[in-house]
């Protein structure tokens, strides 16, 4: 791996990747991701990767010292009009409609291009070369003994997945890697959670929360990743989530109450375990439960 990878601290476990996801925005993924990382940092080698590249905000709470960065580029086609015969082969093979061939010119739409290279490879006149198009940046550093990595998609760019893929190239070979996943269930989420050993799904006890949780559960199950539930802003209506989890045989691993103190801390950029230190033990127990789930699944797969 490149020298950009941060130095590892000693760890008592091998490698575990935990994704923190949700079916909708605003459920508390960042609250859970940052608090889990801070709770484990004194015992394990911990890394936090912010893959919500369209709106990364883990840095607001961890306040990392950024030590380096790297541009994220995708290759887009460049047409040599002196060689081009306007045969239309490039437009024909482009699955994303990023090329339009007109009688006297060829139009390239960089925001639609996925950088697959098919047009250049299949051009019969070899009239297409590729040039880099910068779509985002990766920043990395340290935050309170936590290895920190975040991706930032450039404003106006339409494809976060290449930036997310670049963030995940920084995953350490040992210790615990916590991934803060974008909201929803679309391609950026799939890219973020793929390869995880476990996925924590953060939800809220509302009809909207249940609807989006069910979509997220279906996505994670399709990917074959074990998952557990965190109920945030819990109150008297938890049954709407708990009954669903019972029906689907999903473990509820942590419940965070609807508490004005937590909301006030969050609004000031203070993590839950820093503002209310008694919560540190709850997040350590959360990790122990995750480890039990991962170990149980590993043993069942070996049988």
């Amino acid at each position: 791996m490149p020298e950009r990878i941060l130095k590892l601290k000693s760890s008592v476990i091998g490698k575990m990747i935990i994704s923190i996801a949700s079916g909708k925005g605003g459920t508390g993924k960042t609250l859970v991701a940052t608090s889990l990382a801070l709770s484990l940092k004194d015992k394990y080698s911990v890394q936090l990767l912010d893959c919500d590249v369209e709106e990364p905000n883990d840095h607001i709470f961890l306040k990392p010292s950024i030590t380096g960065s790297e541009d994220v580029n995708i290759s887009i086609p460049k047409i040599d009009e002196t060689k081009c015969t306007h045969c239309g082969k490039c437009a024909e093979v482009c699955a994303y409609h990023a090329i339009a061939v007109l009688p006297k010119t060829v139009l390239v739409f960089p925001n639609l291009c996925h950088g697959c290279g098919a047009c250049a490879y299949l051009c019969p006149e070899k009239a297409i070369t590729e040039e880099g198009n910068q779509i985002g940046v990766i920043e990395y550093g340290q935050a309170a003994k936590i290895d920190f990595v975040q991706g930032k998609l450039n404003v106006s760019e339409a494809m976060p997945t290449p930036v997310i893929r670049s963030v995940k190239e920084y995953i350490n070979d040992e210790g615990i890697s916590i991934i803060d996943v974008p909201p929803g269930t679309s391609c950026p989420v799939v890219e973020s959670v793929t390869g995880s050993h476990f996925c924590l799904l953060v939800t809220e006890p509302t009809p909207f929360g249940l609807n989006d949780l069910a979509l997220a559960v279906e996505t994670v199950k399709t990917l074959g990743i074990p998952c557990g539930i965190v109920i945030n802003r819990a109150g008297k209506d938890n049954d709407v989530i708990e009954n669903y989890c019972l029906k689907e045989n999903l473990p509820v691993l942590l419940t965070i109450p609807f508490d004005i103190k937590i909301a006030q801390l969050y609004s000031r950029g203070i993590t839950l375990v820093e503002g209310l230190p008694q919560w540190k033990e709850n997040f350590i127990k959360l990790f122990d439960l995750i480890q039990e789930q991962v170990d149980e699944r590993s043993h069942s797969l070996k049988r």
Side-chain angles (χ1 to χ4, degrees):
M1 298 296 287
E3 293 182 359
R4 68 191 183 192
I5 297 298
L6 306 172
K7 291 183 179 180
L8 295 172
K9 302 182 287 294
S10 60
S11 171
V12 297
I13 66 171
K15 177 180 180 179
M16 184 182 295
I17 302 172
I18 303 171
S19 297
I20 316 292
S22 66
K24 64 185 288 291
T27 58
K29 291 184 293 81
T30 296
L31 179 146
V32 173
T34 54
S35 292
L36 182 60
L38 287 168
S39 299
L40 300 177
K41 67 181 177 64
D42 293 327
K43 187 176 181 182
Y44 302 101
S45 171
V46 177
Q47 178 186 42
L48 180 61
L49 304 103
D50 195 343
C51 283
D52 191 359
V53 300
E54 294 180 81
E55 196 173 2
N57 58 11
D58 287 0
H59 68 280
I60 296 173
F61 300 92
L62 293 185
K63 302 171 179 63
S65 173
I66 300 298
T67 57
S69 65
E70 181 177 334
D71 291 344
V72 179
N73 299 287
I74 62 170
S75 297
I76 60 172
K78 182 179 180 180
I79 313 298
D80 185 346
E81 293 282 3
T82 64
K83 295 180 180 180
C84 179
T85 62
H86 305 96
C87 67
K89 186 65 177 179
C90 54
E92 179 185 333
V93 301
C94 182
Y96 306 102
H97 307 292
I99 300 179
V101 179
L102 305 180
K104 294 184 179 181
T105 189
V106 177
L107 300 179
V108 176
F109 305 100
N111 286 346
L112 297 179
C113 179
H114 283 55
C116 69
C119 57
Y121 182 77
L122 295 172
C123 176
E125 306 300 330
K126 303 303 178 186
I128 301 177
T129 56
E130 293 179 307
E131 60 183 2
N133 178 41
Q134 199 239 343
I135 64 167
V137 65
I138 308 299
E139 296 178 338
Y140 51 89
Q142 285 277 325
K145 296 195 292 185
I146 298 168
D147 288 348
F148 179 81
V149 185
Q150 69 177 2
K152 292 181 178 180
L153 182 70
N154 289 350
V155 175
S156 82
E157 292 293 341
M159 291 189 301
T161 48
V163 182
I164 293 169
R165 198 174 299 121
S166 294
V167 172
K168 292 181 68 178
E169 289 178 2
Y170 286 77
I171 291 177
N172 286 334
D173 293 329
E174 296 181 37
I176 302 166
S177 296
I178 299 170
I179 298 176
D180 192 350
V181 176
T185 55
S186 59
C187 294
V189 174
V190 173
E191 183 66 45
S192 298
V193 303
T194 297
S196 298
H197 297 98
F198 195 85
C199 183
L200 270 179
L201 294 172
V202 185
T203 189
E204 56 191 13
T206 65
F208 286 114
L210 175 60
N211 176 76
D212 295 324
L213 173 63
L215 294 174
V217 168
E218 183 179 351
T219 300
V220 173
K221 283 186 174 181
T222 300
L223 295 172
I225 300 171
C227 64
I229 310 302
V230 173
I231 303 177
N232 188 29
R233 291 191 284 272
K236 297 179 181 179
D237 300 323
N238 292 350
D239 288 352
V240 67
I241 300 297
E242 291 174 348
N243 290 339
Y244 167 79
C245 291
L246 187 62
K247 178 183 175 183
E248 297 294 327
N249 194 29
L250 296 169
V252 177
L253 302 180
L254 180 67
T255 300
I256 302 172
F258 191 5
D259 189 334
I260 188 64
K261 292 181 181 178
I262 297 175
Q264 289 172 339
L265 290 170
Y266 199 76
S267 69
R268 303 204 309 269
I270 301 173
T271 62
L272 179 54
V273 297
E274 288 178 316
L276 298 171
Q278 63 269 28
W279 273 90
K280 179 178 179 180
E281 191 61 34
N282 292 327
F283 279 94
I284 292 174
K285 290 179 181 178
L286 171 63
F287 174 72
D288 291 340
L289 291 171
I290 291 172
Q291 197 163 24
E292 288 177 11
Q293 295 278 328
V294 172
D295 290 345
E296 182 178 334
R297 175 181 170 83
S298 177
H299 292 152
S300 65
L301 290 175
K302 290 178 180 178
R303 286 199 289 266

